Amino acid sequence: MTDPTSQHGDASPDSSPALPGCFDDLGLAVSTDEPLACHTWLGIGGAARFFCEPVDVGALTKIVRRCHQLSMPLRVIGGGSNVLIDSAGFDGMVVRLTGPEFCEIRVDGSAILAGGGAKLVHVVTAAVQAGLTGLETLVGIPGTIGGALVGNAGGRAGDISQHVREVTVLTRTGELDVRSGSDLSFASRWSNLDDTIILSCRLELEEEPAETLTKRMQKQWIMERADQPSGVRTVAMMFKDPPGSTAESLISQAAAKECAVGNAAVVSSHANFVVTKPQCSSDDVRSLLEQVRSRVRDRLSVDLEPQIEVW
Ligand SMILES: Cc1cc2nc3c(=O)[nH]c(=O)nc-3n(C[C@H](O)[C@H](O)[C@H](O)COP(=O)(O)OP(=O)(O)OC[C@H]3O[C@@H](n4cnc5c(N)ncnc54)[C@H](O)[C@@H]3O)c2cc1C
């Protein structure tokens, strides 16, 4: 399906003449030129021409339909832990699902129902407290349920797709759709939900005593933290792990751990992460990613696939 408002097939800025006041009649709080850097982990990048935190699905639907009518690109930002915003900003609408309806977490027997804007760590904790096992391996992964489903977040011990039974989405034309079974497709750090707006999901889990799960989650938390840079917040994961290896080991083998461009550098202790300094530009990060990727390609003949999404 080709949709002019699709995240990954955006109309060019020229095709979306941002009419001043084009959302005014909707009666919603839409801001203009919203800086996006503060909504991302890397803390860099330009502004969104339009920005909205809709209070509920009704308000979100109005925004989505108006963007569709105007052929204006629309993107959802979750925790901002996996996006790199261009210095020029984003010439379209960015929405953030922070309203209570989007962040709800509910236990229903052996299932967890979670909103697309709910923080993954809150969902994991709720499951463990309810004596439901399966998600504790995801503790320590930053971001929201929406971001985790789009990128099938996970690690060595499994990923979120193993537990997903149903996902409620809004299509790019503003229609509600409930997807399950063969409608859902997941692979390593990928899902077929990337052309939707994820409103909520149902995760099916198994019962186990909460005390056992709490201990397991604490152990997992310590392991996950050891795999991440500590003491710095402005970091992002650069590449996906290729089959049978890890991006970190390949970057180390290719002697790319010390690479730096401008104010962006590889975290030498955790080589698959980039860290930015305050004056860093998006171009610094982009050039660094390309430098590391070509070093690995030239020395090891492996083409690493970027994990971080560039907007
Ligand atoms: C320190 C650190 C450690 C990390 N460790 C891991 C790890 O172990 N495993 C792993 O898989 N990843 C890891 N990541 C990457 C990142 O945390 C995950 O990809 C995470 O799931 C992204 O979620 P987010 O809410 O921050 O998404 P964002 O970065 O905000 O967005 C990512 C994508 O999801 C889309 N999106 C977000 N919400 C929605 C929604 N409701 N509907 C539709 N689309 C949506 C965005 O449009 C964008 O395309 C790590 C990142 C960091 C910085």
Side-chain angles (χ1 to χ4, degrees):
M1 179 181 71
T2 307
D3 183 320
T5 60
S6 155
Q7 293 182 71
H8 299 283
D10 290 324
S12 70
D14 287 344
S15 67
S16 63
L19 319 166
C22 58
F23 295 99
D24 287 358
D25 62 314
L26 299 182
L28 303 172
V30 173
S31 54
T32 51
D33 299 321
E34 166 84 9
L36 291 176
C38 55
H39 297 297
T40 69
W41 270 56
L42 284 174
I44 56 174
R49 186 173 289 200
F50 296 102
F51 181 83
C52 185
E53 296 183 88
V55 288
D56 55 22
V57 175
L60 175 64
T61 305
K62 286 185 191 171
I63 293 283
V64 171
R65 289 191 178 158
R66 178 58 53 88
C67 288
H68 182 65
Q69 278 165 9
L70 296 171
S71 297
M72 181 183 289
L74 176 147
R75 289 185 184 177
V76 188
I77 192 152
S81 62
N82 203 39
V83 288
L84 168 63
I85 314 282
D86 192 273
S87 306
F90 180 66
D91 192 13
M93 166 64 79
V94 173
V95 292
R96 217 166 147 243
L97 306 183
T98 49
E101 190 174 320
F102 301 114
C103 300
E104 205 186 342
I105 301 169
R106 212 150 37 85
V107 178
D108 177 22
S110 61
I112 288 265
L113 310 177
K119 290 209 168 105
L120 182 60
V121 64
H122 294 167
V123 178
V124 172
T125 311
V128 165
Q129 281 169 355
L132 295 173
T133 180
L135 300 181
E136 60 280 4
T137 56
L138 305 177
V139 74
I141 301 179
T144 58
I145 280 287
L149 289 176
V150 164
N152 189 17
R156 283 186 289 266
D159 45 47
I160 194 164
S161 67
Q162 292 166 248
H163 309 284
V164 179
R165 289 297 167 271
E166 194 176 273
V167 184
T168 303
V169 303
L170 202 58
T171 67
R172 294 280 155 173
T173 51
E175 308 303 320
L176 263 183
D177 193 16
V178 180
R179 301 192 178 176
S180 60
S182 59
D183 300 336
L184 296 169
S185 181
F186 293 96
S188 174
R189 307 295 155 263
W190 177 87
S191 80
N192 66 347
L193 292 162
D194 58 354
D195 66 340
T196 71
I197 297 161
I198 296 166
L199 301 178
S200 62
C201 69
R202 182 183 181 87
L203 303 166
E204 204 61 52
L205 304 169
E206 292 194 359
E207 290 175 20
E208 206 174 317
E211 306 83 72
T212 317
L213 292 178
T214 304
K215 284 194 191 127
R216 198 181 299 149
M217 181 175 73
Q218 285 164 345
K219 214 166 140 194
Q220 179 70 30
W221 174 255
I222 292 164
M223 280 170 11
E224 180 68 26
R225 293 314 297 255
D227 282 347
Q228 297 177 5
S230 58
V232 273
R233 158 78 205 229
T234 55
V235 293
M237 206 178 237
M238 295 192 285
F239 300 101
K240 298 180 184 183
D241 286 336
S245 185
T246 64
E248 176 167 346
S249 68
L250 293 169
I251 292 166
S252 301
Q253 283 171 50
K257 290 205 298 189
E258 312 299 334
C259 285
V261 175
N263 287 302
V266 173
V267 179
S268 56
S269 58
H270 295 83
N272 194 25
F273 285 89
V274 50
V275 60
T276 60
K277 289 193 209 144
Q279 300 310 315
C280 189
S281 72
S282 304
D283 284 348
D284 287 347
V285 177
R286 244 200 282 233
S287 305
L288 179 68
L289 288 170
E290 202 32 61
Q291 194 181 100
V292 172
R293 195 176 181 187
S294 51
R295 181 87 60 100
V296 172
R297 198 189 294 125
D298 294 348
R299 299 198 177 173
L300 305 172
S301 302
V302 178
D303 194 14
L304 289 173
E305 196 187 333
Q307 155 85 18
I308 190 159
E309 199 181 297
V310 182
W311 285 16

